[in-house]
Amino acid sequence: MTIGMAEVTSNGVAHLFAQDMGGQPLNLQVLGIEKLPMTEDREHLGDRWKLLLSDGSASCLAALSSSENHLLSENVLRELCVVQIKEWSVNHSHAKPFCIALRVEVISAPVGKIGNPVPYNASAGAG
């Protein structure tokens, strides 16, 4: 799907969890950004953030690697921008798998919401 110059990867959220892109980056829209509460055992890690990501059809939550926090402090990463997820991992140690965005590049300033995404069920592999 494309709006202006912002293009998201078709079925990008499913590819994120399947990890089947052979190292190819994924373009996704950031629908939301939320700071996670600080806990004593994680104070040394600094601020932690979660992102609501979308491919226009499906959406999912992802933790942002603390090494990418500069994108927020520099006000580059904002809601409704399109990002390229260059490197990520999927953690399966919880009841619901979740993604960690390790390397992120903002490729578009905020644009209108792309599509009408619904939450992706990573456990079932379907939205």
Side-chain angles (χ1 to χ4, degrees):
M1 290 185 160
T2 304
I3 288 188
M5 296 299 290
E7 185 173 323
V8 294
T9 303
S10 180
N11 297 313
V13 171
H15 290 303
L16 194 70
F17 285 97
Q19 296 183 292
D20 62 358
M21 292 294 288
Q24 294 294 314
L26 299 169
N27 296 350
L28 299 170
Q29 186 174 40
V30 178
L31 297 182
I33 302 169
E34 183 180 328
K35 187 174 181 179
L36 296 172
M38 184 70 69
T39 59
E40 271 188 46
D41 62 330
R42 295 183 181 225
E43 283 180 359
H44 65 284
L45 297 174
D47 290 336
R48 301 296 304 211
W49 298 86
K50 70 179 175 182
L51 307 176
L52 179 59
L53 300 174
S54 166
D55 62 16
S57 298
S59 65
C60 70
L61 291 173
L64 180 67
S65 171
S66 58
S67 65
E68 299 296 273
N69 282 355
H70 67 95
L71 296 171
L72 291 162
S73 62
E74 295 165 3
N75 201 31
V76 175
L77 179 60
R78 300 187 317 224
E79 288 186 9
L80 298 179
C81 70
V82 175
V83 295
Q84 186 170 79
I85 309 293
K86 294 179 174 253
E87 188 178 341
W88 67 92
S89 68
V90 177
N91 187 320
H92 294 278
S93 65
H94 298 282
K96 292 173 98 176
F98 70 94
C99 175
I100 302 167
L102 300 171
R103 285 194 322 127
V104 177
E105 179 182 341
V106 176
I107 60 171
S108 163
V111 295
K113 184 177 173 185
I114 299 172
N116 190 20
V118 296
Y120 182 77
N121 183 344
S123 298

